[in-house]
Structure formats: structure tokens, C-alpha cells
Amino acid sequence: MKTNALVLTNVVRSRLTPLLLAGLAFAPRASAQDTTAQSLPPMVTTVEGEKAKFAGVVLDRHGDTIRVREGNTALHTVLLTEDTHIGTPNGLFKMGRKRRDQSAIIPGLLMQVEGRGGPGGMVVADKIRFSTRSMNTAQQINVGSEMTRNQVAANTDSIEIVKRRLADSITHVNARVTNLDNYEEKISLVVNFPTNVSELEDGAKGVLDDMIGRISGLKGYIIEVKGYADTTGKAPHNLQLSQARAVSVVRYLEQKDIPIRRILNPTGFGSADAIASNATPDGRAMNRRASVRVLVNKGLANNGGR
């Protein structure tokens, strides 16, 4: 059996839409001491010269080599070359293509890859396609997670330093709003996650769906998303996991046609701001969460806001 038989043909045939699991590009890497760590899907190698086509999310990039996660099915290594054609749909009925630079390929980008097997089982990319919407989402997520990556790199063991720097992240969360005092809270909710998991469960999606229905028709609103973790595991890992949970919520809202401009940069706060005791299983379950607030401009709210 050929090594890339794991590629699902129904995914290949579908047009590129953000339907993959949310936040996959930011799934935390397991530490050796974390027995509950979430593993990546199996790495797929492609026979040299054999054609390959799949859709997935960019997990990371090192120069011309990128890793693309195809849901929970497969992990591909893709090689970019000078001949790789990168583009997004453009023009009337999206029938044309706008050429993009390789710099547009960043972690979190949902894209479709066409290519052929190359050295070491990699896929040498001939064509890469992604929507402008997906590109904008990936850019916003990377802005929101830049501080988190810096914190993890600079603070491998120091919990206190991580906590102090987390306090500074409030400034970054509010970066797209001139003054949050001009907004009032309309909706506040929490969605929870299993241990060491960043993907949304059906129950969490139902809570978000209810919120989406309630904000239908609102004007001048923004959505603030914050991710959290319990105290299980080391602080840098929890910080990364909390960021992935916030990203999962943002990706789901974007899939449900919430304009990305309405959403503040998703931010993870690690195990800070616990709402219950981490000494009990029930308390830890409550702390594994993402908080979502819908804020409405006071001027519009006082005038009906709809």
C-alpha cells in the first residue's frame, strides 16, 4: 500500500474552507513527564515522484520546510521551492488567482497543497492555495500568540516570571480597542476543556452557538477571548495550552461567520486567575476553560445598539 494512502479523498475534493479542528496549529507539545500529553497524528511519507494533494493547517515552519497537520489524520512535511506557486482566489466568482509571497505561509494558516513526493518522504509543493480569510485569521492569531511564544522561550522554569509577564498581556489583549471603558458587557460565558486538550467539544460548541444567536443583529460589538489551564504540568506548557484554547474559540467563531475584525487577539493566561481550587478534580475541571465576553459600544447600546 502506498504510504500516502491516509489522505482522505473527500477532503481533497472539497474546496478550501476552515472546517479543520480549531487551534490545531497551536497544539502543545508533550513533555516527557506529562503522561496525558496530546500526541500529534502520524507522520506520512510520500513516495518520490508520486502526486500528493491534501488540505491542512500549518503547524510550524523552518525556512523552506513546513509541517502541515491534516486534522487528526496525518502530518506532512512540505518543501517550498522557487517553482512553488502560491495564491488565493481572486476576481469575479473567485475564479482567478492572486499570487502570494512565501512569507504569507505562517503557523495557523489553513491551506491546500498539491505536489509530488521528494527526498526523505517530503512533499515538494507545486501549488499552495488558501483564502484571504484564512490568511487574515492566521495573521491575527500569530499577533496574539507572539507574546506567548516569547514568554515560553524566556521562562522555561520560572513560574513567578511567567505570572508577572502575563499581567502585561492585558495591554496586548486590548490593543485593537481605543478604550474599553467605552464598552459595556452584554454576554459573558465560559467553555471548558478536558485535561491537556485544546479542541472544542460538542457541548462547548453548543454554548458558543447559543451566544452567536444572541448577538445576531448587534452593532458595535467586540468579542474578547481568554484561555486558561489548571496547574497540572509546568507553567510554560500550561501557557501554550491556554493560548491554544483561546485560538480554538476564535477559529470556531470565524467558521460561524463572525467577522474576524470583531474579535480581539486571543490570549492565553496559563494557570493564572483560577476560578476554583486546583486541589480537587472538580476545581481543575472548572479552571480548564476559555472565557468569552461580548462587549458593545456604550453609545450604540444606549441608542438601541441593533
Side-chain angles (χ1 to χ4, degrees):
M1 182 179 292
K2 295 180 179 179
T3 53
N4 66 345
L6 288 174
V7 179
L8 299 180
T9 55
N10 60 327
V11 174
V12 170
R13 294 193 188 99
S14 64
R15 66 184 179 89
L16 186 59
T17 52
L19 296 177
L20 299 180
L21 294 175
L24 292 177
F26 294 90
R29 295 183 180 180
S31 65
Q33 298 177 349
D34 189 354
T35 58
T36 63
Q38 186 179 31
S39 60
L40 292 172
M43 176 66 71
V44 173
T45 57
T46 304
V47 176
E48 191 162 356
E50 186 175 80
K51 291 184 178 181
K53 186 176 181 181
F54 54 88
V57 175
V58 176
L59 187 65
D60 51 38
R61 176 177 178 179
H62 301 281
D64 293 332
T65 304
I66 58 177
R67 291 197 303 166
V68 179
R69 180 170 181 168
E70 186 186 357
N72 288 325
T73 304
L75 187 65
H76 305 266
T77 302
V78 178
L79 179 65
L80 303 176
T81 70
E82 293 181 356
D83 297 325
T84 302
H85 189 280
I86 304 171
T88 55
N90 190 41
L92 185 63
F93 304 118
K94 303 298 182 181
M95 297 298 290
R97 296 288 178 186
K98 181 177 181 179
R99 194 173 184 91
R100 296 289 184 180
D101 187 78
Q102 290 190 7
S103 61
I105 300 178
I106 57 178
L109 180 67
L110 177 64
M111 64 184 191
Q112 187 177 66
V113 179
E114 295 183 35
R116 63 193 185 282
M122 293 190 296
V123 174
V124 180
D126 295 326
K127 297 179 181 179
I128 289 179
R129 300 285 183 261
F130 51 84
S131 66
T132 302
R133 184 180 186 183
S134 181
M135 182 178 66
N136 292 339
T137 300
Q139 288 173 343
Q140 179 166 346
I141 289 172
N142 274 269
V143 170
S145 62
E146 179 180 358
M147 181 190 56
T148 299
R149 291 193 296 269
N150 291 338
Q151 289 169 341
V152 172
N155 302 283
T156 55
D157 294 310
S158 175
I159 297 176
E160 292 305 317
I161 294 178
V162 169
K163 287 182 177 180
R164 287 199 297 271
R165 292 194 177 186
L166 282 173
D168 296 334
S169 66
I170 296 175
T171 302
H172 295 261
V173 173
N174 299 339
R176 291 178 57 209
V177 181
T178 304
N179 189 348
L180 281 182
D181 290 339
N182 293 329
Y183 289 78
E184 64 181 26
E185 182 181 294
K186 283 291 185 181
I187 303 173
S188 177
L189 59 91
V190 171
V191 294
N192 295 99
F193 299 82
T195 301
N196 206 50
V197 171
S198 60
E199 290 84 2
L200 291 168
E201 294 190 312
D202 289 342
K205 292 178 181 179
V207 173
L208 293 174
D209 287 341
D210 178 70
M211 181 199 76
I212 293 169
R214 293 169 65 187
I215 66 176
S216 177
L218 282 180
K219 294 182 180 179
Y221 74 88
I222 57 175
I223 300 176
E224 176 191 75
V225 183
K226 299 179 182 180
Y228 299 91
D230 61 26
T231 53
T232 304
K234 293 184 178 180
H237 175 79
N238 289 337
L239 188 59
Q240 198 173 28
L241 178 61
S242 67
Q243 176 71 25
R245 287 169 174 165
V247 168
S248 289
V249 173
V250 171
R251 280 203 175 278
Y252 186 75
L253 295 178
E254 197 259 351
Q255 291 169 20
K256 295 293 184 176
D257 295 325
I258 297 297
I260 197 67
R261 69 180 185 276
R262 296 286 189 184
I263 306 174
L264 296 176
N265 293 332
T267 303
F269 289 82
S271 56
D273 298 332
I275 59 175
S277 172
N278 282 294
T280 66
D282 288 344
R284 290 192 294 272
M286 294 176 65
N287 291 330
R288 295 191 297 268
R289 72 195 192 277
S291 67
V292 184
R293 291 200 306 158
V294 178
L295 309 172
V296 177
N297 185 283
K298 288 181 179 179
L300 292 175
N302 294 334
N303 291 319
R306 303 191 73 85

